[in-house]
């Protein structure tokens, strides 16, 4: 079982910045891709960004040029640096990690608990 713990959400003014973190913990696992989703009430879930273990990244068009995803493989941690935040970025952000069990070779996806980001003046 792999647990993901998120941190870094909060309230920020439009144009401001926040940095989200998500750390994976557990035993006998290897983390492959990691990323972030968001889902506002009444809207479809949106893949914000993801990063492979080797560092290849992909972003939603809505955040390109403003958000940067990165990771620290030694810490099994993924980060989302969010700059030039807009009110429409307001929602709950969920991190995920695609995980290999080193014991069973099984694959699975673990999710964080979600962290609220509010962009408002």
């Amino acid at each position: 079982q792999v647990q993901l713990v998120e941190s870094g959400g909060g309230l920020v003014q439009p144009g401001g910045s926040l940095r989200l973190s998500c750390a994976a913990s557990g035993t006998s696992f290897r983390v492959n891709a990691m990323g972030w989703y968001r889902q506002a009430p009444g809207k479809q879930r949106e893949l914000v960004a993801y990063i492979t273990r080797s560092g290849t990244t992909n972003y939603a068009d809505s955040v390109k040029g403003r958000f940067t995803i990165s990771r620290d493989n030694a810490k099994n941690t993924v980060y989302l640096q969010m700059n030039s935040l807009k009110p429409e970025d307001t929602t709950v952000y969920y991190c995920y990690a695609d995980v290999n069990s080193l014991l069973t070779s099984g694959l699975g996806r673990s999710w964080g608990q979600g962290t609220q980001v509010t962009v408002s003046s």
Side-chain angles (χ1 to χ4, degrees):
Q1 187 80 4
V2 176
Q3 291 81 39
L4 300 184
V5 177
E6 302 179 29
S7 60
L11 172 64
V12 64
Q13 292 188 341
S17 298
L18 283 175
R19 188 192 195 209
L20 306 183
S21 300
C22 173
S25 63
T27 57
S28 302
F29 69 97
R30 173 187 167 97
V31 177
N32 300 314
M34 302 183 81
W36 297 87
Y37 276 88
R38 65 186 181 185
Q39 185 167 21
K43 293 189 176 181
Q44 272 195 316
R45 187 175 66 172
E46 178 183 28
L47 176 58
V48 178
Y50 71 81
I51 182 167
T52 67
R53 187 171 181 85
S54 60
T56 300
T57 59
N58 187 273
Y59 297 90
D61 288 342
S62 58
V63 306
K64 280 180 182 176
R66 300 188 298 122
F67 292 9
T68 301
I69 190 169
S70 61
R71 65 187 288 169
D72 183 333
N73 288 335
K75 296 180 179 179
N76 287 321
T77 299
V78 64
Y79 307 95
L80 187 67
Q81 177 66 43
M82 305 185 294
N83 299 329
S84 302
L85 282 161
K86 304 175 181 180
E88 51 263 44
D89 295 317
T90 296
T91 189
V92 179
Y93 287 71
Y94 299 90
C95 71
Y96 75 88
D98 291 330
V99 178
N100 264 106
S101 167
L102 299 180
L103 298 179
T104 66
S105 299
L107 301 174
R109 176 166 287 187
S110 294
W111 290 92
Q113 79 279 12
T115 186
Q116 176 71 42
V117 171
T118 303
V119 185
S120 175
S121 54

